[in-house]
Amino acid sequence: MSIQENLCELRGITKTYRLPSGQAVKVLDDIHLDVRSDEILAVLGPSGCGKSTLMRVLAGLITPEGGEVSYHGARLAGLNPGVAMVFQSFALYPWLTVEENIVEPLRARGQDAAAASAAAARAIHLVGLGGFEEAYPRELSGGMKQRVGIARALAVEPEILCMDEPFSQVDALTAENLRGEVVRFWEDKSKSPKTIFMVSHDVKEVVFMATRIVVLAARPGRVRTIIENDLPYPRDYRAPAFQRLVDRIHAVITEAEIPDVPEPVAEDGISSGRPEPSRPVPAPARRAPWEALPDAGASEVVGLMEVIEDRGGRENVFSLAEDLGREFGRILAVVKASELLDFVETPRQDVGFTDL
């Protein structure tokens, strides 16, 4: 395997936000990460772990309190010249046509009208929007709006294409088609971008697209693990190797967010489910006098209880997320809140009722 060049390096990145109440909330803590040439790098983690903040630090849109970002070995000051972004919310000018939305950033970079129009035409053709050049955003579907956002980013020929949960606002079928198209134009090495840096909450999405997957821990965001994804393209969601990698990532996130507490084991090696009365019970680890509940509503906790009851009092947390069509990180937050309230316990990757 050839050694890949580092396009960007993030060293010791720390970022803290201050709430209106004056409370400081650290969202990123000592992040060290290389962004290589010719890769799709995906950052994955639960809601609120700082994924989008990390992307904006890389793009130069946010300045961290600690650490530094370098681009081709030089310390970054201001906007990253090699980056273009695709936003989750489309971020199109509603009063401009498709072509005008794509031309606008080219004009801002000082390109003349003819060169900007030619670049926009190439990008429009690449994302399959031919014939819609004169359409306005209000006349487009969600998937077509995101194609415009992708075309606008590609038109400036970035070295690194940053994508902030780009498929979360479109339906499942459109998202699947767009993922495949993004991978295909990245594979064409005759064109930009060299690298895609994406953030996502969807485990299957990053396994389908990424060559390398960074899993962040939450509150504050830290790099928990980095996984090389060597599955060959095109990837099949139903392939056993694909599902094994999905399960591996699920396990990493679950163990971090709702860690399992091992049961006491008797002398004969059989778990008793309770401490041995003849042996002194070790003092519990010191913990904070209180722990804030995750951002989960009472109705979500009640809904979780009802679903678990319908399934016999116990269910696999991955199956819950998939069957309910909810973000995996969101399901984990509701499960964690229910666990702190002593309604459920989470042995391994299951969630089940407590005696209470």
Side-chain angles (χ1 to χ4, degrees), residues 291-336:
E291 183 173 352
L293 290 175
D295 180 20
S299 61
E300 292 179 295
V301 172
V302 172
L304 176 67
M305 299 298 99
E306 292 174 345
V307 171
I308 294 174
E309 182 180 29
D310 289 343
R311 301 187 179 195
R314 189 182 183 109
E315 180 57 284
N316 180 277
V317 69
F318 309 143
S319 299
L320 278 174
E322 184 135 348
D323 295 348
L324 298 177
R326 300 294 300 277
E327 177 197 341
F328 183 62
R330 188 68 200 155
I331 292 294
L332 284 181
V334 178
V335 169
K336 182 68 179 292

Side-chain angles (χ1 to χ4, degrees), residues 17-50:
Y17 289 113
R18 194 161 295 278
L19 303 180
S21 63
Q23 178 187 359
V25 177
K26 182 179 284 188
V27 293
L28 295 174
D29 183 27
D30 196 29
I31 299 286
H32 293 261
L33 185 64
D34 296 331
V35 181
R36 305 170 185 164
S37 179
D38 301 317
E39 72 170 349
I40 300 180
L41 177 62
V43 177
L44 179 71
S47 299
C49 70

Side-chain angles (χ1 to χ4, degrees), residues 132-164:
F132 290 91
E133 291 86 350
E134 300 305 315
Y136 287 90
R138 65 177 179 274
E139 300 170 318
L140 305 176
S141 66
M144 294 175 73
K145 290 177 184 176
Q146 195 58 295
R147 288 175 191 270
V148 179
I150 294 171
R152 179 178 55 189
L154 293 177
V156 302
E157 299 184 343
E159 199 166 21
I160 304 171
L161 178 63
C162 286
M163 309 184 79
D164 187 2

Side-chain angles (χ1 to χ4, degrees), residues 305 313 338-339 341-346 351-356:
M305 299 298 99
S338 304
E339 186 177 40
L341 293 169
D342 202 24
F343 294 158
V344 302
E345 56 189 359
T346 54
V351 53
F353 287 140
T354 61
D355 291 340
L356 173 66

Side-chain angles (χ1 to χ4, degrees), residues 36-230:
R36 305 170 185 164
S37 179
D38 301 317
E39 72 170 349
I40 300 180
L41 177 62
V43 177
L44 179 71
S47 299
C49 70
K51 302 186 296 292
S52 294
T53 298
L54 182 63
M55 173 175 285
R56 282 159 172 75
V57 168
L58 172 68
L61 296 172
I62 292 176
T63 302
E65 282 90 27
E68 67 177 44
V69 180
S70 63
Y71 175 61
H72 285 292
R75 182 167 184 169
L76 185 67
L79 296 177
N80 192 326
V83 165
M85 287 194 67
V86 178
F87 298 95
Q88 179 180 356
S89 59
F90 311 137
L92 303 178
Y93 294 116
W95 59 88
L96 298 182
T97 65
V98 166
E99 182 180 16
E100 290 167 343
N101 263 284
I102 297 169
V103 164
E104 190 64 26
L106 298 172
R107 292 177 55 193
R109 289 184 170 217
Q111 282 197 18
D112 62 65
S117 180
R122 288 192 297 270
I124 287 170
H125 174 73
L126 187 62
V127 300
L129 280 176
F132 290 91
E133 291 86 350
E134 300 305 315
Y136 287 90
R138 65 177 179 274
E139 300 170 318
L140 305 176
S141 66
M144 294 175 73
K145 290 177 184 176
Q146 195 58 295
R147 288 175 191 270
V148 179
I150 294 171
R152 179 178 55 189
L154 293 177
V156 302
E157 299 184 343
E159 199 166 21
I160 304 171
L161 178 63
C162 286
M163 309 184 79
D164 187 2
E165 301 197 17
F167 314 120
S168 61
Q169 300 296 316
V170 299
D171 63 88
L173 184 58
T174 300
E176 188 170 329
N177 289 336
L178 286 173
R179 290 180 197 120
E181 290 181 24
V182 169
V183 170
R184 281 195 291 275
F185 68 65
W186 167 77
E187 287 185 296
D188 185 351
K189 301 308 179 187
S190 67
K191 300 182 177 70
S192 295
K194 286 185 176 180
T195 288
I196 295 174
F197 183 101
M198 62 181 289
V199 301
S200 178
H201 61 259
D202 188 325
V203 175
K204 289 185 177 179
E205 178 173 277
V206 303
V207 172
F208 180 81
M209 295 184 66
T211 59
R212 200 158 54 107
I213 301 165
V214 179
V215 181
L216 291 187
R219 298 177 298 276
R222 298 186 182 93
V223 175
R224 179 165 296 280
T225 190
I226 299 177
I227 298 171
E228 300 284 344
N229 183 357
D230 297 324

